[in-house]
Amino acid sequence: LKDLEKDKQINDMRLKIEELKRKVDQGSQKIQGEVLELELEELLKDEFPFDDIDPISSGVKGADIIQTVKTQAGRVCGKILWETKRTKNWNDGWIQKLKDDQRNAKADLAVIVSEVLPEDFHHFRQIDNIWVTDIPSAISLGLALRTLLIQVVRTKAIQVGKEETKDIVYNYLTGSEFRNRVQAIMDSFIAMKRDLDSERRAMERIWAKREKQIERVVLNIAGMRGDLEGIVGLSLPTIKLLELPNNGSGSELD
């Protein structure tokens, strides 16, 4: 009986020791996790000085760090949610938990930084829309994701600008201002064409009138020469313009 009691006491002591050891390990892991979180926070602040790096308070449901990505001009381009893990074993349940935290935080991207990775996993990879990375690759991944967010926002801004420009152009082309300007231009062209036609008609009348006057002058000169030839004979000097063309078919009179 005494041996049974002794064995029970030894077993109870072993269980208590294991429980204390588990609590110590949990406390140690928690401390190590908090240290990793602080290290990542400082690294993010140093690497991305334009961004807001805000730790999520201990005890508050959620991940560890929220990074608000900003351009140098201060324009917000999105949010990255960071979760740090420093444990001995990987847990697939972390993925779904961070997805829930991401949804609650309204973050664009979410990352798990873990000391241990899934089997056959190297450096970083995306698992079910959650990025998972080892500690050394965390900042490099953050830089890539941050650049992606900024580029997406800039692309959207360009597209929005194009759509706004298209709307402005369309409204202008279909509006009264454009119609009035086109009407003013056409009125000017029509007036210029009307003046040109009027000038052409006037010049044609002037040309026709002058042509008749020139014809009368030539006829009068020719008539005057004929009169003089009738008086003095053929001794008058020849005026080539008033002579018939010589085609070589006629014969001279003796």
Side-chain angles (χ1 to χ4, degrees):
L1 183 62
K2 290 182 178 180
D3 291 338
L4 291 175
E5 290 179 356
K6 184 178 179 180
D7 291 341
K8 184 178 183 302
Q9 289 176 353
I10 292 173
N11 187 56
D12 290 343
M13 290 179 63
R14 184 183 298 112
L15 292 175
K16 288 182 179 180
I17 291 171
E18 290 178 355
E19 178 67 20
L20 290 172
K21 184 179 178 180
R22 184 166 60 253
K23 289 182 178 180
V24 170
D25 289 341
Q26 289 177 349
S28 177
Q29 289 178 2
K30 182 178 180 182
I31 292 173
Q32 291 177 4
E34 290 176 352
V35 170
L36 176 58
E37 178 185 340
L38 292 174
E39 290 176 352
L40 179 62
E41 180 184 341
E42 291 302 317
L43 288 172
L44 292 173
K45 287 181 178 179
D46 291 341
E47 189 68 26
F48 311 118
F50 300 115
D51 296 352
D52 293 335
I53 310 298
D54 299 313
I56 297 175
S57 301
S58 179
V60 177
K61 185 178 179 180
D64 296 324
I65 300 170
I66 185 77
Q67 176 183 0
T68 303
V69 177
K70 295 182 178 180
T71 63
Q72 189 170 355
R75 180 174 184 175
V76 175
C77 297
K79 294 181 179 180
I80 303 175
L81 190 64
W82 296 86
E83 175 80 17
T84 57
K85 297 293 183 182
R86 179 167 273 170
T87 60
K88 294 180 179 180
N89 299 300
W90 170 263
N91 187 340
D92 290 335
W94 294 341
I95 299 295
Q96 185 58 51
K97 177 185 177 300
L98 189 56
K99 290 180 70 174
D100 295 338
D101 293 340
Q102 178 185 2
R103 190 179 305 108
N104 294 332
K106 298 180 180 179
D108 300 276
L109 299 169
V111 184
I112 293 176
V113 181
S114 178
E115 192 171 51
V116 60
L117 299 176
E119 189 176 355
D120 298 328
F121 196 104
H122 302 287
H123 302 301
F124 60 85
R125 187 187 302 172
Q126 193 176 37
I127 302 176
D128 197 13
N129 294 325
I130 297 295
W131 287 96
V132 178
T133 178
D134 58 16
I135 296 172
S137 304
I139 295 301
S140 297
L141 177 61
L143 178 61
L145 297 179
R146 182 181 184 276
T147 302
L148 175 64
L149 285 177
I150 293 175
Q151 187 61 43
V152 167
V153 169
R154 286 177 176 171
T155 301
K156 287 181 178 179
I158 292 173
Q159 294 299 325
V160 169
K162 286 183 178 179
E163 292 300 320
E164 289 178 352
T165 301
K166 286 169 61 178
D167 290 340
I168 292 172
V169 171
Y170 177 80
N171 292 334
Y172 176 72
L173 292 177
T174 57
S176 59
E177 184 178 358
F178 178 77
R179 183 179 64 250
N180 292 338
R181 288 193 178 276
V182 171
Q183 186 64 48
I185 293 172
M186 291 305 299
D187 289 344
S188 298
F189 271 118
I190 291 172
M192 291 171 63
K193 182 69 165 55
R194 185 169 54 245
D195 291 343
L196 182 61
D197 291 341
S198 178
E199 290 174 2
R200 180 183 292 112
R201 289 192 295 269
M203 291 304 298
E204 286 175 352
R205 288 195 299 271
I206 293 172
W207 292 339
K209 181 179 179 180
R210 289 179 179 174
E211 186 178 15
K212 294 295 184 181
Q213 291 173 343
I214 291 171
E215 287 178 357
R216 285 197 295 270
V217 169
V218 172
L219 288 175
N220 286 326
I221 292 174
M224 183 177 62
R225 178 177 174 78
D227 293 339
L228 292 174
E229 285 182 348
I231 297 172
V232 301
L234 298 177
S235 59
L236 287 174
T238 301
I239 301 176
K240 189 174 182 179
L241 291 176
L242 299 178
E243 298 292 329
L244 291 173
N246 184 9
N247 55 14
S249 60
S251 59
E252 294 183 357
L253 295 175
D254 295 335

